[in-house]
Amino acid sequence: MTSHPVVLILNSGSSSIKFNLFDGKTELITGQISGLGAEPHIKFDTHHGQGDIDQLLSPQEGETHATALQALLHLIDAEVGHISIDAVGHRVVHGGADYAAPIVLDDAVLADLRKLIPLAPLHQPHNLDGVTAAQQAFPNAVQVACFDTAFHRHHPWVNDTFALPPSFYEKGIKRYGFHGISYEYISAYLGQNYPGGQSEKVVVAHLGNGASMCAIHNGTSVGSTMGFTALDGLPMGTRCGQIDPGVVLHLLTAEAMSPDEVTELLYKRSGLKGMSGISQDMRALFASDAPEAAKAIDYFVTRIRRELGGLAAVMNGIDTLVFTAGIGENSPEIRRRVCMDQEWLGVEIDQRLNDAGEEMISSPSSRMKILVIPTDEEEMIRRHTLNLL
Ligand code: ADP
């Protein structure tokens, strides 16, 4: 038995569930169930030094989110011992206009969140399937939702709207912004580790498979590159990023593509993978000699540099630039290219610190701090879930 609250963090996608089990602040087990409905397996680490363990699940165990969470329950019993889970913290991509903070889930809130499925069709239904499955698997646990949109809900109106008649805004067609849990973690980290860090003008570049950038002033999001959906802004692993809406109209009319085909193109066949024809993984693009790989990287960097200038203008300057997520944390070359020749903006990178993987990579003469900070969305969800317990 344990004296701390035991919290399970779930991030449920269409065919996968990522999980982290915490006893207080101690992580007991972390892993991912993937291949739901196809070739299900579970990969986990119990932090006992043996590294990742990969096990196949039976087709019955891996049929749905609900059956997979029953399998996870058995795994926890076997690996950690019988432990009572006090709360489950869920990552939910869309909180719409109303949910500006984490919330304890009940039937009314769940019904509200289901209404948002058309705004995030690739994420929201699966996030909510995970909630329903967790309610069945852990009926005595408090279920909490943390929203990727919540951190942006206090955007100034000009950064929240599109130039459409107001009736569309009233219907919820506005710039929501995403990756908010990551941005909130980074902002809190700056507050804890850099005097005055949270009150500064900060730009965070969250460069992972999904990628976006956010301008944060006084700990509040004031502008972000993602808009109504998680498609806008930077190009991503398979998503197109910013695109002229006229292109979409052209695809639907002149190219006679169906809405489903356009959705598939923009979400799954574009971005680094679509441009290169090789891979969505930045490491594979760097390893390739193909000119298309180099072009995809060039485009990715160019869009980050454009957005950096734009977000600097939103705040009348930048005090701190933070790189985070898979590419931001691990690729000195992308960081170097983003920062190259940006002295006019106050960006001066120290290449030795950058290559050495230091947290602070700006040179002493740089007008802004340039930092590399690993994001930890699960930790942020854990804190919120505990607060609501
Ligand atoms: P997600 O959005 O799925 O959470 P991550 O933040 O885990 O994505 O980032 C995953 C991406 O990070 C990979 O697709 C890969 O392109 C990139 N990445 C990881 N390590 C490196 C590296 N050493 N160099 C360049 N890119 C890397």
Side-chain angles (χ1 to χ4, degrees), residues 18 179 206-210 272 280-283 286 325-327 330-331 377:
K18 291 184 188 155
H179 288 138
H206 177 111
L207 309 177
N209 197 25
L272 297 176
Q280 68 193 65
D281 192 315
M282 188 58 85
R283 288 164 293 196
F286 274 122
I327 301 171
N330 296 303
S331 177
E377 289 148 311

Side-chain angles (χ1 to χ4, degrees), residues 164-236:
L164 296 171
S167 58
F168 290 93
Y169 185 86
E170 300 310 322
K171 276 197 271 189
I173 299 178
K174 54 172 84 170
R175 303 182 65 87
Y176 289 98
F178 297 87
H179 288 138
I181 301 169
S182 172
Y183 294 131
E184 192 183 5
Y185 174 83
I186 298 290
S187 181
Y189 183 96
L190 292 175
Q192 282 156 8
N193 294 281
Y194 292 88
Q198 218 168 4
S199 53
E200 291 186 330
K201 297 169 182 171
V202 179
V203 168
V204 183
H206 177 111
L207 309 177
N209 197 25
S212 72
M213 292 167 73
C214 182
I216 305 173
H217 192 196
N218 288 325
T220 302
S221 164
V222 290
S224 82
T225 61
M226 273 184 177
F228 179 58
T229 67
L231 266 187
D232 201 4
L234 304 178
M236 302 171 227

Side-chain angles (χ1 to χ4, degrees), residues 244-317:
D244 177 348
V247 173
V248 179
L249 299 176
H250 180 86
L251 296 175
L252 290 169
T253 53
E255 294 280 328
M257 289 172 74
S258 71
D260 283 349
E261 286 169 337
V262 175
T263 302
E264 225 248 337
L265 171 69
L266 301 184
Y267 276 95
K268 298 189 176 165
R269 293 200 288 121
S270 301
L272 297 176
K273 186 176 179 189
M275 290 184 85
S276 68
I278 294 171
S279 173
Q280 68 193 65
D281 192 315
M282 188 58 85
R283 288 164 293 196
L285 299 186
F286 274 122
S288 167
D289 293 332
E292 291 77 14
K295 280 176 152 176
I297 298 172
D298 278 352
Y299 182 73
F300 183 69
V301 169
T302 299
R303 297 306 311 195
I304 296 169
R305 290 167 63 95
R306 279 183 67 137
E307 296 291 354
L308 185 62
L311 294 173
V314 167
M315 296 189 290
N316 303 324

Side-chain angles (χ1 to χ4, degrees), residues 10-233:
L10 293 182
N11 183 352
S12 307
S14 59
S15 63
S16 70
I17 304 177
K18 291 184 188 155
F19 57 87
N20 307 69
L21 181 67
F22 290 94
D23 176 3
K25 284 187 173 175
T26 310
E27 197 164 33
L28 300 177
I29 187 166
T30 174
Q32 177 165 11
I33 299 171
S34 41
L36 290 180
E39 288 177 10
H41 63 114
I42 188 164
K43 196 172 177 180
F44 62 94
D45 185 349
T46 50
H47 306 294
H48 288 141
Q50 74 270 55
D52 276 342
I53 301 172
D54 210 336
Q55 286 177 3
L56 282 176
L57 291 178
S58 71
Q60 292 77 16
E61 285 175 315
E63 197 180 350
T64 63
H65 289 75
T67 57
L69 285 193
Q70 290 299 338
L72 176 60
L73 200 56
H74 294 309
L75 179 85
I76 292 171
D77 272 356
E79 297 291 333
V80 177
H82 189 66
I83 195 165
S84 151
I85 291 173
D86 299 298
V88 185
H90 297 270
R91 181 178 189 174
V92 177
V93 71
H94 222 306
D98 296 330
Y99 293 101
I103 191 163
V104 173
L105 289 162
D106 59 24
D107 288 349
V109 176
L110 270 173
D112 266 356
L113 296 178
R114 284 209 180 85
K115 290 184 202 148
L116 298 170
I117 286 176
L119 302 192
L122 298 192
H123 296 99
Q124 191 84 343
H126 312 299
N127 299 159
L128 300 181
D129 282 350
V131 174
T132 312
Q135 286 174 323
Q136 289 162 15
F138 313 103
N140 298 322
V142 178
Q143 309 282 336
V144 170
C146 296
F147 304 103
D148 270 310
T149 49
F151 187 63
H152 305 289
R153 283 294 34 84
H154 304 292
H155 266 173
W157 174 81
V158 282
N159 294 329
D160 204 38
T161 192
F162 297 110
L164 296 171
S167 58
F168 290 93
Y169 185 86
E170 300 310 322
K171 276 197 271 189
I173 299 178
K174 54 172 84 170
R175 303 182 65 87
Y176 289 98
F178 297 87
H179 288 138
I181 301 169
S182 172
Y183 294 131
E184 192 183 5
Y185 174 83
I186 298 290
S187 181
Y189 183 96
L190 292 175
Q192 282 156 8
N193 294 281
Y194 292 88
Q198 218 168 4
S199 53
E200 291 186 330
K201 297 169 182 171
V202 179
V203 168
V204 183
H206 177 111
L207 309 177
N209 197 25
S212 72
M213 292 167 73
C214 182
I216 305 173
H217 192 196
N218 288 325
T220 302
S221 164
V222 290
S224 82
T225 61
M226 273 184 177
F228 179 58
T229 67
L231 266 187
D232 201 4

